[in-house]
Amino acid sequence: MSFYNIYNADCRKQIKLIKDSSVDFILTDPPYNIAKYSTGNINLSGRSSINNDVGKWDLNAINPADFLYDFKRILKPDGNIFIFTSYNLIGKWHAVFDPEFDTFQFFIWHKTNPIPKIYKNGFLNSCEMIICLWNKGHKWNFSSQTKMHNFYESPICMGNERLKNPKHPAQKPLKLLKHFIKIASDEGDIVYDPFMGVGSTGVAANLLNRSFIGCEIDDIYFNAAKDRLKI
Ligand SMILES: C[S@@+](CC[C@H](N)C(=O)[O-])C[C@H]1O[C@@H](n2cnc3c(N)ncnc32)[C@H](O)[C@@H]1O
């Protein structure tokens, strides 16, 4: 029987409520701390503006060391951890987490419809990184050599799936999250997302018959997640 427990809280406090060795899969998308590098939105006459802003939530500094103890504590011995991150933080995640796990791999999500580079003065930001961690004996649903590349292509969240109100700039597509959940957990397992935004990880877990524990500090995003999960 699946359950869904979500909390409108700071995950650094909420995680303390989770029992030792009780979570099968931590799949999370913390702030990237890239907002400070943004050049801002680009307004275009007669068209909708190009949105380069990430969100105020991205300005709060993320320190991977703050999460090591509790992520290790709550994860089952055969569990997995996948964390979305960005070029400026991957080194910090690696420095803190790599010595503590048998394996640290990176995974690339290639967005087939990235925001255009309107002034044609650089690369489109079409890739996002996810770090993947586990210990020996971890649960792993390897499908086939052709489907298990550390690379996945899908569009960013669009159409009916994309929430309009509130609009979350980092809402992740269910297709990608389901790909991860199928590989790194089984039906009936518990998936935890401490930075759940509008609850995409929970919706994907729900669709795949996994239980979900989620946390979000912003009450508007939290309420949107609650609606999506019909809690
Ligand atoms: C990158 S977004 C996650 C988006 C999510 N993957 C989705 O599809 O909606 C990161 C989220 O973490 C939240 N957040 C930031 N600091 C937090 C904290 N200390 N505890 C809980 N949530 C936090 C932000 O409000 C933001 O919604």
Side-chain angles (χ1 to χ4, degrees), residues 9-12 29 31-32 57 168 170-172 194-198 200 216-218 221:
D10 183 332
C11 64
R12 286 168 291 197
D29 182 19
Y32 323 104
W57 48 262
H168 195 303
Q171 184 184 340
K172 293 293 175 290
F195 297 92
M196 72 171 172
V198 290
S200 312
E216 169 57 46
I217 203 165
D218 181 293
Y221 294 149

Side-chain angles (χ1 to χ4, degrees), residues 18 41 43 48 95 182 210:
I18 302 181
N41 291 347
N43 296 316
S48 49
K182 279 183 201 163
R210 273 71 166 169

Side-chain angles (χ1 to χ4, degrees), residues 7-14 28-32 54 56-58 60 62 67 84 128 157 163 168-173 177 193-201 215-219 221-222 228:
Y7 300 84
N8 185 193
D10 183 332
C11 64
R12 286 168 291 197
K13 290 187 182 148
Q14 179 273 332
T28 194
D29 182 19
Y32 323 104
V54 188
K56 287 209 174 24
W57 48 262
D58 195 58
N60 296 335
I62 284 289
F67 301 97
F84 285 81
E128 219 165 292
C157 217
L163 299 195
H168 195 303
Q171 184 184 340
K172 293 293 175 290
L177 299 171
D193 185 350
F195 297 92
M196 72 171 172
V198 290
S200 312
T201 304
C215 185
E216 169 57 46
I217 203 165
D218 181 293
D219 51 355
Y221 294 149
F222 172 81
R228 285 178 90 195

